Amino acid sequence: MQVNDNKEFQPLIVAFCCNWCSYAGADLSGTNRLNYPTNVKIIRVPCSCRVNPMFILRAFQRGADGVILCGCHPGDCHYTSGNYFTRRRMTLLFSMLDFLGIERDRTRVEWVSAAEGAKFAATMNEFTEAVKKLGPNRRLEDLRCRKQ
Amino acid sequence: MQKIGVFVCHCGTNIAATVDVKAVAEALSHEAGVVISQEYQYMCSEAGQNLVKDAIKEHGLTGVVICSCSPRMHENTFRKAAAAAGLNPYLVEIANIREQCSWIHKDIATATEKAIILGKAAIAKVHLNTPLVAGESPVAKRALVIGGGIAGIQTALDIAEAGFEVDIVEKEATIGGKMAQIDKTFPTLDCAACILTPKMVEASQNEKITIHSYSEVSAVKGFIGNFTATIKKKRRFVDETKCTGCGACTEVCPMQKVPNAFNLGLNNRGAVYIPFAQAVPKVATIDANYCLKLRKGDVNEKVCGKCAAACTVGAINYHQQDEYIEQKYGAIVVATGFNPIKLDKYDEFAYNQCPDVVTSLELERLMNAAGPNGGTLLRPSDKTHPHKIVFVQCVGSRCDDSKGKPYCSKICCMYTAKHAMLIREKYPDTEVYVFYIDVRTPGKNFDEFYRRAVEQYNVHYIKGMVGKVTPKADGTIDVQASDLLSNEQLHIDADMVVLATAIEPDKTARPLATMLTTQMDTNDFFTEAHAKLRPVESATAGIFLSGACQGPKDIPETVAQASAAASKAIGLLVKDSITCNPCVAHSNELMCNGCSACEKVCPYGAITYQDKEFRTPYRTTVMRRVASVNPAVCQGCGACTVACPSGAMDLNGFSNSQIMAEVDAICK
Amino acid sequence: MNTFTYYPGCTLRTKAKDLDTYARSSAEALGISLVEPENWQCCGGAYTTAKDEIATKLSAVRTLNSAKEAGQPLITVCSACHNVIKQTNYDISHDEDMAAKVNNYLKLDEAYTGETTVYHYLEMLRDVVGFDNLKKKVVNSFKGKKIAAYYGCLLLRPSKALAMDDPENPTIMEDFIKAIGGTPVIYAQRNECCGGYITMEDKAQATKRSAKVMNSAQEQGADMIITACPLCLYNLKKNSGSELPVYYFTELLAEALGVKEAGNE
Amino acid sequence: MNNNLKEQVLRSSGVNVLKCMRCGKCSGTCPSYDEMEYHPHQFVYMVEKGDIETLMESKSIYKCLTCFACVERCPRGVEPAKVVEAVRLATIRKQGNNHLIPDAIPEMLDEDLPQQAIVTAFRKYTK
């Protein structure tokens, strides 16, 4: 993350993708050469329901500017019901982040299937733009963790 | 001390063109624990794999990171290479710098920077990887086939042929399904009964096959190789083991006004019945809704009882109760089939008003030698020969409204051509009209068959749709339709109208899918694991799909799929055990407080609780309730790890600390 | 006592007085109170389906709104009025754009967005009185009479908006006929158009259509036809060339309840 | 092909003509078929092609009974009657194009003709 007067702000974005749908969707956007910014770094998880809200808080603490969580479409979860848990947990987490003063646009849950490479790229472009507009995350970042 | 090897792949120019692979290898070589960092043209090639193997042996590596294509592509390749060199395969991590880096970015500087970060994240993760050993779980050598139509019969025969026990569960009193009701088959015009009934007999005589007719699956538990199903044998008030199928009871039954379901209500049968002459098992069943004795409520009352008196072997048992059987299975094949839709919402075709407006399946019975008219085609209303017959295609198929189905029912074009042809053949004085939107005949000898109906049998095919059917006083039926090619509205004075009714999955399919945790589409057809490459497997391991429960199909396609499903099931049953995914959840007993939060979110029922003794200070012990995960059942989704309030539950291969390490590495 | 806002419509005040008076006397006998709003306007006779037609929908909205203000469900008898008002009510509650335009124009104290429940008189008999209860109050039964119900097009379609009964296999009028002791006659043309307003444009077409309906009913052995629509009654009687008697369903209802004379006073 | 007219008809009718699968059931069920020069399925297809003027000039637009049989029975939910109505409106909204003039009414009256017929005809044929 660089905040530089003569350089455009480049947010750091962590994307958690479930192995069965969204990670495959991300692979598909690569296979189809659909561009999205380098700001997005993907972490593979077996299911979106594996993502502990703690991971998202940790990312913000360590200086991430946005966190996006992608899973299979509701009803299509490889594990039948995992993404329903995700949906509920993230609703709670996001309302807590609201309370902490973290802008709602810094976090997002998106359903991307293995066939939706174009949607994955479009989502990442859009999300990066949205986070760019918000500027750097200062509220939750632990400055002691910042790399000098 | 960790010794980690890093290998960066060029993938020809796929990666190297946008990512400076040398710079990546160089940057990663400075990471903590990295003892060797190399780049190579094609890591997945034999030479590339040898590079990894040699490094493992030479440097005694404790972890390997490959920066290459997606792990969905070659993770297994590199795991095998590591295992060959003596390293636990789960100590290998892949950094995806092709699909998720070089292919989507254009600027070399930023792409290289990102590739380095992804590499660092993989290194951070591999630091925390632990050796994992895939467990094994035994396979029960028995298959369950749900549905006893031609699909279920074929699947069962194939599995039995391979030497495995098979149980067929059929909800009706006989196996045979829809094919038993059909008169002839297209495009060869074989008699359906002549080719089906030998198969039914074969199934009943095969000592590996057990047929549970008049039965339902009421519960299924377990997982691939290890299912437990509960089968409910509904009471038929006849002892199957005693009944000889002589039919004496059906003759004496005084209640002969029961709509004959096998003939789709086109004639009547007795309250005690055998569905048809070739039924398997050939055993009588009493319909409790109509039986004079059973309808009374108290079977001890002296009412009727004629069937029991007529039975020479004492098979009638008015006191019979439902019976439940529990059985273990290694594989389950779903073959629940289809039904024509109800036509209540299509009364512009006067189906409910006029007995001479029939569905195609009803026409099969009307034309069948074993049907209500003994094979002579007569109008249901006045038992006269029809001289003008109108067929209406796509009734309820291809609809974008709440009344019908959005899909093409696939079989109607062909069976309508068959009906038209058979009628013209047998009754040359009959005029036959077919109203169609498109004639769809993709299949071997299918279009030729349809052309024969037109050219040789002079069936009048009219492009257009019937809009209104009005029965008239003289017994004829006014069919009002459009002829799109001559652009006129036609009125045909027909004697009979046949509706090519859309087909839908059987109503029992949805509750069954819930029981089996398999997926269904919005039309209640079972979803295959992969539309092209895994067409007979469901996404749930160990559950296979056979016949029209997966989508509309004709008989040859159904049989082909039935055999394919059988071969998949056999492939599973021949194994003594199956390898389990080692990336499963596990609970730290010392941290677990037994709250049951994890158990409630587990979709597989893999978590159980046990009381365990723990040592406490001062040489005392305490009993605590702790969670334990069955690694053979757990599929590794991780839902429980987040639900666990005490942090006792963690997931192998994707542990809390591993993911957190990745987050930290990315955010540095 | 159940109280409804009662919308008679233009024709019930002029050429179709029978439909109106028998409806009122029967309602009284059934313990239903019908209150006619002041200053009601003609519904326009036909619903304009076009999305860009707002003015033609206003009179129906005024009627709906007067029922809303009275806090009562709205009841109609004439099929055309029912069709127009029910379709308007459906569209205003499903099409936000139309609702906004209508309300901008009307400037009501409170915007109207489809709050009123609209009953056809037959639906009132089915859902409020109940055909079983109606049966108990019948004094002159139509036993032995074979009666053909004529729905026409207006009562049933488009079913999405009208939602009175199954559009292809309706039973409400047949159940009514059974309740007053008659035997319903099912015939295929019962839900086909009689020609309607085309009598103004092309008499021959109206004749063709209504004759088809009458023949279909006659062929199934009907002694009489009942309808809820003045225009259907006109076409079937005047244009069809058939001698089969046609009555308003309310006339049979009033007779069954023994209040026919009261209505004629 | 007149794109403005096509757009107007599509907007005014609210119908998506592309849903049509060309089965012809609308024309099969239409009670006014024989009186029409262009039939319900042709209305849908010609609007899709943008051939609106031909329809506007045809007497067919006055023959539709608005009985909604085609709307109810269309397997694709296309609603042809609404297309006919939109085309008719496009015609009668033009000045001097009223199809029914009040002066012609007295001649048509007979003692039983219900008011409903007159108001409906006005709504259908006149702006």
Side-chain angles (χ1 to χ4, degrees):
Chain A
M1 191 203 71
Q2 308 90 15
V3 193
N4 205 316
D5 285 343
N6 44 22
K7 233 178 157 185
E8 194 193 6
F9 161 63
Q10 290 298 335
L12 171 60
I13 290 166
V14 177
F16 291 98
C17 292
C18 87
N19 182 45
W20 305 98
C21 288
S22 307
Y23 195 85
D27 278 355
L28 185 62
S29 66
T31 315
N32 294 338
R33 312 295 199 276
L34 302 168
N35 296 336
Y36 57 86
T38 51
N39 308 56
V40 178
K41 315 280 194 294
I42 296 172
I43 294 178
R44 182 163 70 128
V45 286
C47 175
S48 56
C49 74
R50 173 65 188 97
V51 176
N52 198 314
M54 207 164 63
F55 302 161
I56 293 170
L57 293 173
R58 175 82 158 215
F60 281 127
Q61 184 200 21
R62 295 290 161 132
D65 301 297
V67 178
I68 182 165
L69 174 49
C70 301
C72 309
H73 285 268
D76 286 347
C77 177
H78 180 76
Y79 303 101
T80 320
S81 54
N83 48 8
Y84 294 131
F85 295 130
T86 309
R87 188 159 65 182
R88 283 193 229 166
R89 285 169 186 161
M90 290 308 135
T91 309
L92 287 175
L93 174 70
F94 293 167
S95 69
M96 190 192 95
L97 290 176
D98 263 351
F99 176 74
L100 292 177
I102 301 295
E103 296 88 340
R104 183 62 192 77
D105 287 347
R106 286 198 193 278
T107 45
R108 189 186 286 190
V109 174
E110 197 73 51
W111 313 122
V112 180
S113 82
E116 293 175 329
K119 183 183 177 186
F120 187 86
T123 304
M124 291 307 152
N125 280 315
E126 206 183 291
F127 185 63
T128 310
E129 274 316 301
V131 176
K132 240 179 215 173
K133 271 194 205 120
L134 292 174
N137 148 43
R138 295 193 193 281
R139 179 75 64 164
L140 265 192
E141 189 187 1
D142 186 342
L143 291 175
R144 291 167 301 181
C145 301
R146 186 185 276 189
K147 199 184 166 193
Q148 294 310 316
Chain B
M1 182 59 199
Q2 292 275 5
K3 288 186 213 161
I4 294 163
V6 177
F7 303 88
V8 185
C9 181
H10 296 215
C11 197
T13 54
N14 277 316
I15 294 172
T18 10
V19 170
D20 183 346
V21 285
K22 285 198 167 56
V24 173
E26 154 62 21
L28 296 180
S29 70
H30 302 301
E31 286 297 296
V34 175
V35 293
I36 176 172
S37 182
Q38 292 181 308
E39 23 86 26
Y40 185 71
Q41 283 251 282
Y42 290 104
M43 283 309 300
C44 59
S45 68
E46 178 118 24
Q49 291 187 45
N50 284 338
L51 220 57
V52 179
K53 289 181 196 166
D54 295 343
I56 291 171
K57 288 177 193 150
E58 191 180 325
H59 298 274
L61 297 183
T62 59
V64 169
V65 169
I66 318 270
C67 302
S68 62
C69 54
S70 171
R72 294 173 60 85
M73 190 77 86
H74 277 308
E75 188 171 54
N76 253 335
T77 314
F78 295 116
R79 278 183 175 166
K80 274 186 193 153
L87 184 71
N88 183 289
Y90 293 91
L91 298 174
V92 176
E93 284 296 327
I94 311 283
N96 185 343
I97 61 165
R98 190 178 78 173
E99 280 86 348
Q100 294 179 7
C101 191
S102 71
W103 275 355
I104 44 165
H105 304 314
K106 289 192 180 108
D107 178 51
I108 295 182
T110 52
T112 306
E113 192 187 343
K114 177 172 171 180
I116 293 169
I117 291 172
L118 294 177
K120 283 181 180 172
I123 294 168
K125 187 180 179 191
V126 88
H127 265 288
L128 300 164
N129 278 21
T130 48
L132 299 176
V133 180
E136 294 202 325
S137 108
V139 176
K141 305 267 177 189
R142 194 184 187 96
L144 171 65
V145 176
I146 305 169
I150 180 61
I153 293 171
Q154 184 64 46
T155 301
L157 284 172
D158 286 356
I159 294 174
E161 181 74 9
F164 297 103
E165 302 274 344
V166 193
D167 293 355
I168 299 178
V169 175
E170 167 58 52
K171 67 178 187 311
E172 302 297 337
T174 172
I175 59 168
K178 292 288 172 296
M179 189 173 167
Q181 291 173 293
I182 293 173
D183 184 32
K184 299 266 187 336
T185 59
F186 61 78
T188 48
L189 301 181
D190 298 282
C191 150
C194 311
I195 53 180
L196 174 70
T197 47
K199 289 226 176 246
M200 291 164 61
V201 173
E202 209 184 319
S204 73
Q205 289 177 349
N206 192 314
E207 54 187 28
K208 295 276 183 195
I209 299 178
T210 309
I211 297 172
H212 298 292
S213 63
Y214 214 58
S215 302
E216 287 163 7
V217 175
S218 61
V220 177
K221 282 185 293 194
F223 52 95
I224 177 170
N226 202 3
F227 296 105
T228 306
T230 310
I231 297 161
K232 175 186 174 186
K233 284 182 87 81
K234 293 179 283 185
R235 50 185 186 165
R236 69 202 308 167
F237 304 101
V238 173
D239 188 334
E240 275 182 61
T241 55
K242 289 184 186 160
C243 178
T244 60
C246 70
C249 52
T250 63
E251 278 158 29
V252 297
C253 180
M255 181 63 208
Q256 288 292 339
K257 285 274 164 66
V258 186
N260 186 343
F262 184 74
N263 281 334
L264 304 163
L266 291 165
N267 66 352
N268 291 333
R269 59 156 164 80
V272 55
Y273 66 101
I274 297 173
F276 59 104
Q278 295 86 11
V280 169
K282 197 164 182 192
V283 172
T285 305
I286 300 180
D287 189 334
N289 294 321
Y290 291 95
C291 171
L292 297 173
K293 192 176 187 75
L294 294 170
R295 231 172 27 180
K296 276 279 174 203
D298 182 8
V299 292
N300 294 320
E301 257 184 72
K302 285 205 164 51
V303 189
C304 192
K306 284 186 178 159
C307 51
C311 184
T312 52
V313 291
I316 305 275
N317 175 6
Y318 299 117
H319 298 276
Q320 200 174 54
Q321 294 300 318
D322 292 343
E323 191 189 334
Y324 290 87
I325 304 170
E326 217 179 74
Q327 183 66 253
K328 270 194 174 299
Y329 298 100
I332 297 179
V333 183
V334 182
T336 45
F338 73 94
N339 277 308
I341 63 166
K342 286 218 170 351
L343 289 178
D344 292 353
K345 290 180 174 161
Y346 288 93
D347 233 28
E348 63 264 36
F349 301 125
Y351 177 74
N352 288 306
Q353 297 168 30
C354 178
D356 299 328
V357 179
V358 299
T359 67
S360 300
L361 195 57
E362 286 166 357
L363 183 72
E364 294 281 355
R365 295 313 301 155
L366 289 173
M367 288 168 64
N368 194 301
N373 302 329
T376 314
L377 179 58
L378 300 173
R379 305 197 327 153
S381 62
D382 55 8
K383 305 285 177 205
T384 58
H385 275 291
H387 294 287
K388 211 181 264 185
I389 302 180
V390 170
F391 286 86
V392 187
Q393 297 282 68
C394 300
V395 177
S397 299
R398 308 168 69 188
C399 287
D400 191 31
D401 54 21
S402 54
K403 296 194 272 186
K405 302 289 172 187
Y407 48 85
C408 165
S409 294
K410 197 174 184 178
I411 53 176
C412 325
C413 284
M414 285 303 290
Y415 68 57
T416 298
K418 174 191 77 177
H419 289 154
M421 221 185 266
L422 290 170
I423 290 170
R424 290 281 300 153
E425 168 89 33
K426 213 167 167 188
Y427 312 101
D429 62 333
T430 306
E431 275 186 82
V432 176
Y433 297 86
V434 177
F435 284 92
Y436 69 95
I437 306 172
D438 307 285
V439 180
R440 297 180 165 177
T441 55
K444 190 172 158 188
N445 294 326
F446 279 17
D447 206 63
E448 296 91 319
F449 184 80
Y450 149 59
R451 290 313 308 166
R452 235 167 75 211
V454 177
E455 293 167 27
Q456 193 178 330
Y457 288 94
N458 209 1
V459 176
H460 306 298
Y461 270 79
I462 300 170
K463 180 161 173 62
M465 188 66 183
V466 171
K468 182 77 186 177
V469 172
T470 310
K472 298 201 300 187
D474 62 2
T476 62
I477 307 164
D478 172 47
V479 178
Q480 177 185 313
S482 63
D483 179 339
L484 291 176
L485 294 182
S486 67
N487 203 12
E488 57 182 328
Q489 193 176 60
L490 303 175
H491 285 271
I492 297 176
D493 257 341
D495 298 318
M496 257 183 99
V497 175
V498 184
L499 307 175
T501 314
I503 60 174
E504 64 181 353
D506 193 83
K507 293 273 175 269
T508 57
R510 184 156 278 278
L512 184 66
T514 311
M515 226 182 273
L516 297 171
T517 69
T518 48
Q519 292 168 356
M520 283 192 137
D521 63 18
T522 48
N523 299 313
D524 280 10
F525 285 114
F526 281 89
T527 311
E528 57 281 7
H530 190 285
K532 292 176 196 71
L533 303 177
R534 296 171 69 194
V536 301
E537 296 158 76
S538 79
T540 306
I543 314 265
F544 306 98
L545 309 175
S546 172
C549 68
Q550 180 255 344
K553 275 182 196 66
D554 60 20
I555 295 167
E557 273 185 306
T558 297
V559 172
Q561 208 206 9
S563 287
S567 78
K568 284 284 167 191
I570 294 164
L572 168 61
L573 295 175
V574 290
K575 292 181 185 160
D576 291 325
S577 62
I578 42 170
T579 312
C580 311
N581 169 23
C583 294
V584 293
H586 61 91
S587 168
N588 183 339
E589 287 171 350
L590 295 174
M591 290 163 83
C592 176
N593 63 9
C595 71
S596 293
C598 53
E599 182 201 17
K600 289 196 186 90
V601 298
C602 180
Y604 304 100
I607 300 169
T608 50
Y609 289 88
Q610 52 192 116
D611 291 318
K612 253 190 151 172
E613 215 172 68
F614 288 91
R615 282 169 57 177
T616 49
Y618 312 112
R619 292 186 182 175
T620 54
T621 60
V622 65
M623 289 292 277
R624 280 206 295 119
R625 182 173 180 268
V626 293
S628 85
V629 180
N630 180 347
V633 181
C634 174
Q635 300 288 312
C637 67
C640 55
T641 61
V642 183
C644 179
S646 55
M649 198 58 90
D650 211 345
L651 190 64
N652 288 339
F654 295 95
S655 69
N656 288 332
S657 56
Q658 283 176 307
I659 296 175
M660 219 92 91
E662 282 184 274
V663 171
D664 291 357
I666 287 173
C667 295
K668 247 185 213 162
Chain C
M1 192 176 213
N2 280 305
T3 307
F4 292 84
T5 297
Y6 173 71
Y7 178 81
C10 64
T11 315
L12 272 71
R13 277 310 171 74
T14 47
K15 299 287 186 215
K17 281 192 177 131
D18 283 359
L19 183 56
D20 181 48
T21 49
Y22 294 133
R24 288 173 192 266
S25 57
S26 304
E28 205 182 315
L30 292 166
I32 303 281
S33 154
L34 304 177
V35 183
E36 191 173 322
E38 283 175 38
N39 304 324
W40 56 262
Q41 296 168 325
C42 171
C43 68
Y47 183 71
T48 321
T49 57
K51 302 246 177 254
D52 52 1
E53 284 275 330
I54 297 300
T56 51
K57 286 157 186 159
L58 296 176
S59 66
V61 178
R62 286 195 187 99
T63 303
L64 286 160
N65 192 57
S66 61
K68 175 186 162 185
E69 282 173 354
Q72 292 160 352
L74 181 66
I75 202 160
T76 60
V77 188
C78 165
S79 303
C81 300
H82 183 69
N83 187 284
V84 172
I85 289 172
K86 199 82 197 258
Q87 284 211 65
T88 308
N89 208 31
Y90 180 85
D91 277 354
I92 207 163
S93 49
H94 288 79
D95 184 342
E96 276 179 33
D97 184 55
M98 175 189 150
K101 282 179 181 153
V102 165
N103 281 303
N104 283 345
Y105 188 91
L106 284 178
K107 294 217 183 324
L108 302 165
D109 293 338
E110 186 189 279
Y112 182 80
T113 52
E115 291 89 346
T116 300
T117 310
V118 184
Y119 285 101
H120 186 265
Y121 198 94
L122 283 163
E123 290 176 297
M124 182 273 286
L125 291 179
R126 179 187 65 190
D127 303 336
V128 180
V129 177
F131 286 135
D132 286 342
N133 287 331
L134 173 61
K135 204 176 199 167
K136 288 176 203 152
K137 297 198 175 167
V138 168
V139 291
N140 305 318
S141 170
F142 280 82
K143 195 164 180 3
K145 286 279 184 217
K146 295 175 84 175
I147 307 172
Y150 179 58
Y151 291 88
C153 53
L154 292 165
L155 276 185
L156 299 168
R157 296 192 292 257
S159 62
K160 208 161 56 175
L162 271 288
M164 178 190 269
D165 206 338
D166 186 325
E168 299 299 347
N169 208 0
T171 55
I172 185 167
M173 280 174 101
E174 282 73 13
D175 291 342
F176 165 72
I177 291 165
K178 282 184 211 157
I180 60 169
T183 309
V185 174
I186 312 277
Y187 61 108
Q189 294 285 324
R190 65 192 168 136
N191 61 344
E192 297 299 323
C193 183
C194 66
Y197 58 87
I198 212 78
T199 184
M200 305 283 290
E201 165 78 13
D202 184 347
K203 265 273 187 269
Q205 193 184 348
T207 298
K208 195 174 121 186
R209 278 310 315 157
S210 44
K212 192 150 192 182
V213 172
M214 292 299 258
N215 290 342
S216 176
Q218 213 153 10
E219 285 188 346
Q220 299 300 325
D223 298 329
M224 61 173 90
I225 282 195
I226 55 166
T227 176
C229 178
L231 187 47
C232 295
L233 185 96
Y234 172 82
N235 275 325
L236 297 180
K237 267 190 159 170
K238 295 278 276 199
N239 286 333
S240 71
S242 165
E243 297 294 310
L244 193 64
V246 187
Y247 301 105
Y248 290 124
F249 76 98
T250 53
E251 184 170 352
L252 268 62
L253 175 64
E255 189 168 335
L257 294 172
V259 294
K260 191 169 173 184
E261 297 316 311
N264 276 344
E265 273 161 20
Chain D
M1 159 121 184
N2 185 324
N3 265 327
N4 285 341
L5 266 177
K6 178 180 172 179
E7 236 170 76
Q8 190 203 322
V9 167
L10 291 179
R11 191 176 54 237
S12 167
S13 65
V15 166
N16 178 3
V17 288
L18 296 176
K19 289 178 84 176
C20 176
M21 66 165 165
R22 324 235 189 275
C23 71
K25 195 176 182 186
C26 48
S27 290
T29 204
C30 180
S32 287
Y33 188 96
D34 291 337
E35 282 72 24
M36 293 172 107
E37 175 190 6
Y38 296 105
H39 309 299
H41 74 278
Q42 288 173 292
F43 269 84
V44 174
Y45 186 50
M46 286 164 79
V47 167
E48 186 188 325
K49 284 198 302 181
D51 190 3
I52 316 281
E53 278 124 330
T54 317
L55 293 174
M56 285 173 68
E57 284 155 18
S58 164
K59 291 276 170 262
S60 305
I61 54 177
Y62 307 113
K63 301 294 182 181
C64 169
L65 301 166
T66 327
C67 74
F68 293 112
C70 54
V71 172
E72 196 65 50
R73 290 169 191 161
C74 173
R76 309 285 313 162
V78 176
E79 308 184 313
K82 295 188 178 179
V83 176
V84 179
E85 175 123 340
V87 176
R88 185 175 58 238
L89 283 169
T91 301
I92 61 173
R93 277 174 185 170
K94 286 189 185 163
Q95 201 163 13
N97 266 7
N98 278 345
H99 186 65
L100 180 67
I101 44 171
D103 291 349
I105 298 289
E107 222 174 276
M108 299 177 179
L109 289 180
D110 68 54
E111 57 175 316
D112 293 325
L113 185 76
Q115 280 65 21
Q116 185 193 347
I118 306 166
V119 294
T120 311
F122 264 113
R123 192 141 274 187
K124 291 286 171 188
Y125 299 144
T126 306
K127 267 291 139 201

